[in-house]
Amino acid sequence: MLSHFSQPVDPRLCSNIEHIDQHEWDALVTSHNFFNSHGWLAALDYSLGEGEVFTLYDSAGLLGGCPLWDGEDQPGLFYLSDYFPGLEGPWQQPFLWGGARRSTHNEIPCVQGRRRGAALSAIAKRLAQLAKRRGYYAAVIPYMPLRQAVEVAQYYPHARVVMHSAEASLTVPEGGLDSQLRQLRRNFRNRVRAEMAAFSQVGNTVEWCYPDEPLLKQAAELIAENRKKYGSHQGADWMRRIFDGQKRSSIISTAIAAVARRDNQIVGITIFYRFGYSLHARYYGSDYQTEDKDYRYFVLNYYHSLDYAAKNGISECRFSISALRAKAQRGAKIEPLAALLLFDNASPLSISECEDYNRLFYQRYKQQYDRHLTSDWTLLN
């Protein structure tokens, strides 16, 4: 399905997000898409260096846009060769990456209404053309919600949608954690209560606070410890640089920290960011010198966050892509994420190849998560 504009459009390539009006940009960003918000992108620029942003305008203003970067050249979350096991393709070729740097949720900020289809079509086409001009094989936007990836592909015939990940989210019940527990099966309900009891029995307490300078300094150390445990080489200095960028962009004002203390010492911390009606869990840190078999990760990230959200008018908690089974057992829903591949001309992948691969991907997730899958997964049938 093609869609065209009845008036001229103005594509622009900006050297950084600061060249784009914040209110115009954020008016196109959904609550789910916090990590593509103006403030978050500006923080990345301050911390990691400027990142380009493609934009599309018409006479009425900004229609949509997409941050750009180069991905990474080492195995991990942003290395294309790891994404599609068993699917042959040009994965070793260089791709132009769309979406925020190191974000595991990327939507294309875009207008709603009658201009949306033409805007998405134009953005996809020009990203593919830009990739070709710069010597890339194609463009890719990873970690895109399946529904939006399918929507873009309807408007751009050289797009391909290939599944590669999923994320967890939880609708906040009005009564917070108590209401959520009533929705769980008895064995998981008892498990949650046992974990919370274990957390309290060793003397832990939880407080919610806005992260000031001393807390951010401690958080950087603990987050670096946690990242090191799971193979990251980005230490405390890197995290301090990230937080400095967030202070410069003022996005840190949307942050709230859940802090676990024992004997007046911080033993765990999760930093969340509020955007619209969503609460996004982003950074977790732990003092692994202190006994950590107290389920502090789950207490901070899930149990107490539900009560905080319910009390503060937040309707959804978003928990990213890791440890999906543990999150599903605690009531989270599992949402599908795809890579949107944008080719300038004919794609090396047939639609049937992609559909077959996606059906197998869906079957694996259905076997693992079944009733926890959201309705968007049915788009793969």
Side-chain angles (χ1 to χ4, degrees), residues 30-35 104-107 143-146 166-172 270-283 297 301-302 305-306 309 314-322 324 327 332-337 374 376:
T30 69
S31 292
H32 294 173
N33 202 26
F34 169 67
F35 300 111
T104 54
H105 183 106
N106 293 304
E107 302 171 34
Y143 299 105
M144 179 177 280
L146 176 62
E167 62 183 334
S169 68
L170 203 155
T171 299
V172 178
T270 298
I271 296 182
F272 299 83
Y273 296 82
R274 180 173 183 170
F275 191 69
Y277 56 77
S278 295
L279 187 68
H280 299 260
R282 178 64 179 189
Y283 301 112
Y297 173 83
N301 281 276
Y302 310 115
S305 68
L306 282 178
I314 297 167
S315 60
E316 180 184 57
C317 292
R318 303 199 64 81
F319 299 123
S320 195
I321 63 171
S322 62
L324 293 181
K327 295 170 184 177
K333 295 297 184 182
I334 306 301
E335 303 178 7
L337 296 173
T374 62
D376 283 358

Side-chain angles (χ1 to χ4, degrees), residues 79-117:
Y79 183 60
L80 198 60
S81 295
D82 288 347
Y83 278 18
F84 316 115
L87 179 64
E88 292 187 10
W91 315 131
Q92 295 292 338
Q93 298 291 333
F95 278 70
L96 176 64
W97 286 57
R101 281 172 284 187
R102 300 189 61 80
S103 169
T104 54
H105 183 106
N106 293 304
E107 302 171 34
I108 296 176
C110 189
V111 294
Q112 299 294 329
R114 61 182 179 81
R115 295 180 297 168
R116 181 174 175 84

Side-chain angles (χ1 to χ4, degrees), residues 42-56:
L44 292 177
D45 285 350
Y46 291 134
S47 301
L48 306 176
E50 292 185 349
E52 290 183 309
V53 183
F54 173 82
T55 57
L56 189 72

